[in-house]
């Protein structure tokens, strides 16, 4: 199976080429030229497998140029103890109201980005071998928090790779900063940038477009790449857990084979929910994919009206990983739903670039309505959901998961839809202690590490080991640079 660009479908390359290249030269994103079908008996077979075996089965369908043995090796290494604290890897958990939570935060950094970033380094380095790339890759990341740490853990000590993470000096939480500056590994570097996330991101973009630097790095045997969710190698591992969750509900007797389920997904860059869409296209029995936003509700408005408009106020919320105005992966959905109309998609993206908005055709809007529902949750509703869920069920959820649960409950009340529903739970509540404590009506003053202890005491729950063990760790990285000096950090590290 080959891969094509969303802005020019005549581009046809292998999976390894798509993963090695990341972004198409025309600016489009790579998508599979056909979507493999889950054969009718496949779900029965998958239901009997463990998570790693499910991952091999699903990924092999999309990666013809990878062998089964390779994928077994990758999944065995990516999804295992001690990185993951449960053999289920992505466990599902019912609540008394009949809904289920798919917990995607049992990995080394306690957020769902581990599901993809534990796998991406293996897919990427194998893709470099397969495409004959001789240089080493250096991953550059500008992060507002979760992605940086997950990428560091994923790439740490992976042969043929180096990674540099830039974070805004005053733009991440205490815990997030500690997680990054105590990072282990011989091939990693972490540096803070004076300014906000935009400054760090602009700096990284500038480095990527520096032609002279590219030349110098090639002479030293390096090239630069990114680890963000436009890479197919980051999206594919996410398709697995939708299918795995379905199998878990089957095994638990919650649904019968073939019965449809809803998934409600806290959405930012549209990567997570898009993976659910691909699972549906493969034949997974899905009724609705419910796209949940916080008050940055550009996607909710888009799904309701067919108009995508990024010209709006940007809000900083208690669910920061969803604070986003341009959801890159939406481009892939538009391509698939328009019957692969690459010119239409290229036109929309051009309008987004020049005017900051575009409006899709009524036909395309109707296709979206068939599969997607949506909703947004205010800060108050999100906090209220955390408190109610804990008081009623003794189950503690983080702010992003609470956005989704809040949206799902409103959807169910408004539509009367009785379909079995899964909330995609994307982070441990211990990653967002202050907001969670506040939601519970508790005092939340103190430093990051103290808040972990406070949340633990107040709720009688145990924090995840990777966060609790930060207390004993010595910082390794204390670099602070001006935006204009980021390039020097890169050159010094790649001597
Ligand atoms: C990144 C992230 C999201 C949003 O996922 P997208 O794939 O960007 O839509 C939601 N919750 C958490 C905790 C995240 O880290």
């Amino acid at each position: 199976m080959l891969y094509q660009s969303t802005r020019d479908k005549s581009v046809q390359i292998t999976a390894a080429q798509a993963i090695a290249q990341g972004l198409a030269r025309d600016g489009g994103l790579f998508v599979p030229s056909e979507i493999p079908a889950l054969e009718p008996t496949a779900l029965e077979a998958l239901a009997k497998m463990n998570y790693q075996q499910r991952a091999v089965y699903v990924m092999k369908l999309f990666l013809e140029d990878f062998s089964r043995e390779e994928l077994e090796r990758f999944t065995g290494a990516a999804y295992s103890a001690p990185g993951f604290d449960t053999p289920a890897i992505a466990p599902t958990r019912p609540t008394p109201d009949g809904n289920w939570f798919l917990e995607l935060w049992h990995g080394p950094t306690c957020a769902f980005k581990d599901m993809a970033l534990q796998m991406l380094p293996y897919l990427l380095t194998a893709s470099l071998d397969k495409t004959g790339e001789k240089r080493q890759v250096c991953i550059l990341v500008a992060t507002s928090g979760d992605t940086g740490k997950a990428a560091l853990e994923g790439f740490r000590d992976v042969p043929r790779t180096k990674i540099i993470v830039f974070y805004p000096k005053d733009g991440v939480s205490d815990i997030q900063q500690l997680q990054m500056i105590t990072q282990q590994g011989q091939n990693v570097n972490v540096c803070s940038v004076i300014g906000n996330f935009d400054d760090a991101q602009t700096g990284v973009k500038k480095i990527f477009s520096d032609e002279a630097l590219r030349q110098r790095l090639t002479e030293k045997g390096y090239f630069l790449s990114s680890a963000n969710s436009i890479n197919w190698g980051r999206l594919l591992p996410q398709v697995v857990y939708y299918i795995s969750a379905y199998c878990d509900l089957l095994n638990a007797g919650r649904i019968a084979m073939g019965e449809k389920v809803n998934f409600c997904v806290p959405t930012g860059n549209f990567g997570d929910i898009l993976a659910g869409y691909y699972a549906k296209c493969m034949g997974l029995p899905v009724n609705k994919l419910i796209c949940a936003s916080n008050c940055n509700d550009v996607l909710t408005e888009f799904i309701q009206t067919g108009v995508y408009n990024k010209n709006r106020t940007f809000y900083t919320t208690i669910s920061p990983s969803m604070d986003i105005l341009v959801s890159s992966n939406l481009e892939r959905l538009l391509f698939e739903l328009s019957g692969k109309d690459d010119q239409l998609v290229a036109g929309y993206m051009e309008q987004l670039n020049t005017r900051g908005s575009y409006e899709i055709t009524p036909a395309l809007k109707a296709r979206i309505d068939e599969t997607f529902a949506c909703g947004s949750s205010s800060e108050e509703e999100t906090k209220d959901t955390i408190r109610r869920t804990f008081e009623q069920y003794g189950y503690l959820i983080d702010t992003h998961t609470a956005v989704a649960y809040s949206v799902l409950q409103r959807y169910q009340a408004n539509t009367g839809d009785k379909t079995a529903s899964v909330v995609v739970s994307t982070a441990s509540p211990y990653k967002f202690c202050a907001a969670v404590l506040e939601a519970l009506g508790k005092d939340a003053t103190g430093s990051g590490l103290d808040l972990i202890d406070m949340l633990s005491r107040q709720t009688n729950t145990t924090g995840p080991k990777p966060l609790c063990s930060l207390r004993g760790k010595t910082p390794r990285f204390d670099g602070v640079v001006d935006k204009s000096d980021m390039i020097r950090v890169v050159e010094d590290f790649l001597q």
Side-chain angles (χ1 to χ4, degrees):
M1 182 215 302
L2 294 174
Y3 284 74
Q4 55 196 175
S5 162
T6 49
R7 297 188 198 175
D8 178 2
K9 63 186 170 195
S10 68
V11 173
Q12 297 269 339
I13 61 174
T14 63
Q17 286 171 321
I19 292 168
Q21 206 175 310
L23 190 69
R25 297 198 211 293
D26 54 37
L29 309 184
F30 289 120
V31 292
S33 56
E34 59 205 285
I35 297 174
L38 272 182
E39 287 156 27
T41 51
L43 277 177
E44 268 162 41
L46 282 160
K48 298 194 182 76
M49 298 179 189
N50 65 24
Y51 191 84
Q52 293 85 344
Q53 292 166 324
R54 289 171 183 170
V56 171
Y57 186 99
V58 174
M59 294 203 306
K60 180 76 184 103
L61 296 174
F62 287 92
L63 301 175
E64 276 174 1
D65 41 343
F66 288 66
S67 71
R68 177 166 301 280
E69 292 66 37
E70 274 179 300
L71 294 177
E72 280 169 357
R73 192 152 43 77
F74 299 167
T75 51
Y79 302 133
S80 60
F84 281 78
D85 66 9
T86 164
I89 306 299
T92 41
R93 169 184 173 121
T95 54
D97 66 352
N99 293 312
W100 289 64
F101 286 83
L102 167 59
E103 295 181 348
L104 300 180
W105 39 263
H106 289 276
T109 76
C110 311
F112 101 100
K113 298 206 167 48
D114 288 330
M115 300 304 298
L117 281 165
Q118 284 294 303
M119 177 58 66
L120 177 68
Y122 297 101
L123 295 177
L124 180 62
T125 49
S127 297
L128 297 182
D129 288 340
K130 287 176 200 294
T131 55
E133 175 63 63
K134 295 283 185 290
R135 292 171 296 176
Q136 287 198 48
V137 61
C138 177
I139 305 292
L140 282 193
V141 182
T143 185
S144 56
D146 286 344
T147 304
K149 177 62 182 179
L152 285 165
E153 272 301 322
F155 280 94
R156 105 175 191 208
D157 292 330
V158 173
R160 290 194 63 187
T161 73
K162 295 201 171 188
I163 174 165
I164 307 175
V165 169
F166 292 103
Y167 68 91
K169 187 168 178 310
D170 300 311
V172 302
S173 75
D174 294 355
I175 295 281
Q176 285 173 322
Q177 179 177 25
L178 255 183
Q179 276 189 300
M180 289 189 279
I181 64 176
T182 57
Q183 176 66 41
Q184 297 298 302
Q186 293 305 308
N187 63 336
V188 306
N189 193 13
V190 175
C191 187
S192 66
V193 178
I194 298 166
N196 58 23
F197 172 64
D198 257 350
D199 294 314
Q201 177 143 43
T202 311
V204 163
K205 281 188 180 157
K206 223 168 126 203
I207 294 173
F208 272 117
S209 62
D210 188 328
E211 210 34 66
L213 175 71
R214 191 196 308 264
Q215 282 296 332
R216 291 200 296 278
L217 293 184
T218 293
E219 281 159 27
K220 291 182 191 159
Y222 288 102
F223 74 102
L224 299 175
S225 184
S226 89
N228 66 26
S229 68
I230 53 174
N231 193 307
W232 179 253
R234 234 187 102 171
L235 203 64
L236 178 57
Q238 300 181 169
V239 177
V240 176
Y241 51 71
Y242 286 92
I243 296 168
S244 178
Y246 190 89
C247 292
D248 287 357
L249 264 63
L250 268 179
N251 289 342
R254 174 66 177 88
I255 51 171
M257 179 58 84
E259 193 177 332
K260 290 185 173 176
V261 298
N262 295 328
F263 287 95
C264 186
V265 189
T267 298
N269 211 14
F270 210 76
D272 195 356
I273 194 168
L274 182 75
Y277 174 75
Y278 279 113
K280 180 178 198 266
C281 293
M282 293 173 76
L284 190 74
V286 172
N287 175 41
K288 289 284 183 202
L289 294 168
I290 304 164
C291 176
S293 312
N294 61 27
C295 41
N296 294 297
D297 58 355
V298 59
L299 282 168
T300 305
E301 185 182 277
F302 171 70
I303 292 170
Q304 280 170 354
T305 66
V307 177
Y308 195 98
N309 185 359
K310 71 165 185 176
N311 304 313
R312 62 210 298 126
T313 312
F314 176 84
Y315 299 101
T316 302
T317 73
I318 53 173
S319 46
S321 299
M322 300 162 69
D323 293 344
I324 205 162
L325 293 182
V326 177
S327 302
S328 322
N329 271 300
L330 192 59
E331 178 168 349
R332 285 186 163 114
L333 181 73
L334 297 175
F335 181 78
E336 302 293 353
L337 285 179
S338 66
K340 300 182 184 267
D341 191 338
D342 51 2
Q343 290 318 297
L344 186 77
V345 172
Y348 290 154
M349 294 306 125
E350 176 64 21
Q351 288 174 42
L352 183 64
N353 235 341
T354 51
R355 297 213 301 256
S357 70
Y358 60 87
E359 176 167 15
I360 58 172
T361 63
L364 195 46
K365 166 80 169 70
R367 299 292 313 274
I368 289 184
D369 291 341
E370 285 168 18
T371 300
F372 289 87
C374 62
S376 64
S377 176
S378 71
E379 299 286 270
E380 280 318 306
E381 287 169 320
T382 301
K383 286 189 199 166
D384 190 52
T385 303
I386 292 173
R387 186 183 49 74
R388 275 188 297 109
T389 307
F390 186 70
E391 284 174 4
Q392 291 172 0
Y393 311 138
Y395 185 50
L396 196 60
I397 55 177
D398 95 291
T399 47
H400 304 75
T401 307
V403 167
Y405 195 25
S406 160
V407 167
L408 175 66
Q409 288 176 324
R410 182 148 24 92
Y411 166 84
Q412 288 174 326
N414 288 345
T415 61
D417 184 350
K418 295 276 186 290
T419 308
S421 296
V422 178
V423 175
V424 177
S425 176
T426 50
S428 160
Y430 279 86
K431 266 203 117 156
F432 302 95
C433 290
V436 171
L437 277 165
E438 256 172 49
L440 297 173
K442 310 291 183 195
D443 178 33
T445 43
S447 86
L449 290 172
D450 295 336
L451 293 183
I452 289 182
D453 293 340
M454 278 158 73
L455 186 57
S456 188
R457 271 200 310 277
Q458 293 287 357
T459 59
N460 237 330
T461 59
T462 319
K465 214 163 143 221
L467 298 181
C468 295
S469 65
L470 282 173
R471 198 177 277 287
K473 292 222 169 105
T474 323
R476 292 179 64 202
F477 303 100
D478 58 2
V480 187
V481 295
D482 199 71
K483 183 165 63 170
S484 57
D485 282 335
M486 288 167 64
I487 187 163
R488 191 176 43 74
V489 175
V490 174
E491 293 210 74
D492 287 353
F493 190 58
L494 300 181
Q495 272 312 321

